[in-house]
Amino acid sequence: MRGREFLMKDGYSFHADRADCEREYRHMYETYERIFNRCGLRFRAVEADTGAIGGSMSHEFQVLADSGEDAIVACNECSYAANVEKAEIGAGDGAVSGATASEQLSRVATPAKRTIDEVSAFLGVPAERFIKTLVFVDDDGKSVVALVRGDHQISEAKLKIALGAQWIALADADTVRRVTGASVGFAGPVGLDARIVADHALRGIRGAVTGANKDDEHLVGVEHERDFGKGTTFADLRQAVAGDLCPRCGKGVFAEHRGIEVGQVFYLGTKYSAPLGATFLDAGGQAHPIEMGTYGIGVSRTMAAAVEQNHDKDGIIWPLALSPFPVEIVPTSVTDEPVRDAAEKLYGELRANGVEALIDDRDERPGVKFKDADLIGITLRVTVGQKGLAKGVVELRERREKTNHELALGDAVAHVTRLVRDAGRVR
Ligand SMILES: [Zn+2]
């Protein structure tokens, strides 16, 4: 995915007022949707962090592929999609279902059992009954204890927002010992004199397991209000997972995908124009900062993402709009004069129609040519052979379908031209 070449399309918009700039943002968003649709890609527009570029509104266009570097969740009912670190989770969603009776708080020996998996197996208690206790340090060097359910993952991005911190990091072993009195793996919120922030899913939990702030010991029967309710604040702290209820439509649930980012749109407002003094004069001669947006597509990356999403064991399957050539002509023999002539005539007529065609005029066996054609992955292949010509036909094969259709020799040019024109590839 990360080639030496990085070809990028970049665009900027400049407006006098915010409403016009936001309308342009929506236009560009819709334009990008049309571009990636026409490229034949399966993608989602994902609400994005504005990160280093800043501004207040941004969407990433993510092509869905198992090899993608970004973990995203997308609603199965509406258009909401987000990075797992960012996806909003409704308060109360993910809480342990079915009320558990109150249990007595007690201490159990868990020698050298540090991870949730180890303690879960040792005690025979499922991971969702654990309170995962993580110690972080913020930009002021202050420690804070974050709690998430044992089967959930903390989102550091959300924790940062909950704390209003610029920067956070997991604490080192010495800090963990100073804060909890125990080594890593035995921390818990009960009796802890620290700032504690817990994920919503832990609200009202009972019969839970957590570290006892003492080496080789855990607590069982832990409950929220009784044992760590005082001073604990709640926030959305966890990464979204498949099955979480969509916070936007309230009907759909999230599915998990891997994504490859191929484009991003930003509404910047006056973030750059104000400090740089990029102003315009209004009708009354008053200077105002320009309202800005920025819009980018990774062009070479889009090609790479298309290949990640469209291939099989034999090679690439180019979507018609992206294929280096929309059609490849394969004469089964170039020493057979009628076959060669028919293939070259087809090639010439397609080009005359504005169809970019490729012809494999190598003196190779048909099997070698077919294998190479599958590998290169040109969307349409027209095979010209002796047997077909005897019947007055050529064979059209779509790379994705791997099935052959016979075309009357006289109709072949018009038929192929129509297919290519429908994909917007005829000049
Ligand atoms: Zn939804």
Side-chain angles (χ1 to χ4, degrees):
M1 288 302 303
R2 301 211 179 271
R4 284 189 195 184
E5 177 199 75
F6 184 78
L7 191 60
M8 174 108 190
K9 168 257 155 209
D10 226 1
Y12 294 84
S13 66
F14 305 90
H15 284 88
D17 66 48
R18 182 178 176 132
D20 281 346
C21 192
E22 288 183 352
R23 193 187 58 231
E24 187 60 30
Y25 178 91
R26 284 194 301 277
H27 282 166
M28 291 303 287
Y29 176 100
E30 288 160 11
T31 303
Y32 276 30
E33 281 190 319
R34 285 196 297 273
I35 290 171
F36 294 121
N37 274 324
R38 181 154 145 199
C39 288
L41 299 172
R42 280 175 289 115
F43 68 94
R44 293 298 290 254
V46 172
E47 287 189 8
D49 186 13
T50 51
I53 295 181
S56 56
M57 187 163 49
S58 180
H59 285 88
E60 286 169 2
F61 290 81
Q62 295 269 1
V63 169
L64 307 180
D66 292 340
S67 58
E69 66 273 74
D70 293 321
I72 60 176
V73 285
C75 177
N76 62 358
E77 288 281 338
C78 73
S79 66
Y80 183 67
N83 191 291
V84 293
E85 290 267 345
K86 294 279 178 318
E88 296 160 32
I89 295 162
D93 192 27
V96 181
S97 55
T100 308
S102 189
E103 292 171 31
Q104 204 188 330
L105 183 67
S106 53
R107 218 167 250 278
V108 291
T110 50
K113 305 279 187 283
R114 292 166 187 277
T115 67
I116 302 258
D117 283 352
E118 286 167 354
V119 183
S120 170
F122 184 71
L123 297 177
V125 177
E128 69 257 29
R129 287 229 151 311
F130 279 68
I131 301 167
K132 196 187 283 184
T133 307
L134 301 158
V135 182
F136 284 87
V137 179
D138 69 10
D139 31 1
D140 292 331
K142 287 195 206 123
S143 53
V144 59
V145 174
L147 310 177
V148 291
R149 219 172 69 185
D151 58 330
H152 288 157
Q153 299 297 324
I154 186 100
S155 159
E156 294 192 10
K158 289 182 177 181
L159 180 61
K160 249 167 51 178
I161 292 166
L163 299 174
Q166 293 292 315
W167 179 90
I168 53 159
L170 268 175
D172 60 23
D174 288 346
T175 308
V176 171
R177 180 168 288 283
R178 189 161 43 74
V179 173
T180 71
S183 19
V184 173
F186 300 99
V190 182
L192 204 58
D193 180 21
R195 183 178 177 199
I196 301 176
V197 52
D199 181 66
H200 290 303
L202 292 174
R203 202 187 283 276
I205 195 168
R206 287 176 164 179
V209 179
T210 191
N213 298 322
K214 187 160 185 281
D215 281 13
D216 301 330
E217 285 187 12
H218 278 74
L219 296 176
V220 297
V222 178
E223 60 184 71
H224 159 217
E225 287 90 350
R226 185 190 66 193
D227 301 325
F228 63 95
K230 215 172 147 225
T232 298
T233 56
F234 283 87
D236 175 11
L237 293 185
R238 70 175 174 92
Q239 296 182 7
V241 291
D244 282 342
L245 193 65
C246 173
R248 291 297 158 84
C249 67
K251 287 185 298 199
V253 291
F254 287 157
E256 285 179 51
H257 302 278
R258 303 295 301 181
I260 301 169
E261 189 196 334
V262 291
Q264 190 161 7
V265 289
F266 291 91
Y267 165 71
L268 297 172
T270 57
K271 181 178 166 77
Y272 293 103
S273 54
L276 289 169
T279 58
F280 67 96
L281 297 180
D282 67 14
Q286 284 279 334
H288 303 279
I290 300 165
E291 283 274 333
M292 286 179 61
T294 180
Y295 319 94
I297 289 179
V299 176
S300 42
R301 204 174 164 73
T302 300
M303 301 291 278
V307 175
E308 291 294 334
Q309 198 177 66
N310 298 282
H311 65 270
D312 61 17
K313 65 177 177 40
D314 297 319
I316 301 172
I317 304 170
W318 284 110
L320 192 47
L322 296 181
S323 193
F325 294 85
V327 55
E328 175 172 358
I329 296 160
V330 179
T332 55
S333 163
V334 289
T335 51
D336 181 314
E337 216 167 293
V339 168
R340 192 189 62 213
D341 289 351
E344 285 184 350
K345 184 161 178 278
L346 206 56
Y347 174 71
E349 288 175 1
L350 284 171
R351 285 168 57 94
N353 277 358
V355 175
E356 299 159 284
L358 180 70
I359 187 164
D360 187 350
D361 57 2
R362 295 176 300 166
D363 186 11
E364 283 286 359
R365 286 180 293 114
V368 172
K369 293 185 175 186
F370 294 153
K371 218 168 158 33
D372 285 347
D374 278 349
L375 181 67
I376 298 167
I378 302 298
T379 317
L380 302 171
R381 187 178 93 199
V382 178
T383 304
V384 182
Q386 224 168 13
K387 276 187 206 151
L389 285 186
K391 290 196 291 177
V393 299
V394 292
E395 269 181 0
L396 174 67
R397 182 181 172 94
E398 290 190 29
R399 174 64 181 84
R400 190 179 299 279
E401 307 297 333
K402 293 200 158 178
T403 49
N404 297 325
H405 314 274
E406 286 189 345
L407 293 179
L409 188 56
D411 297 337
V413 170
H415 185 86
V416 171
T417 301
R418 194 164 53 245
L419 289 177
V420 176
R421 179 178 292 136
D422 288 349
R425 286 294 302 267
V426 172
R427 295 201 173 149

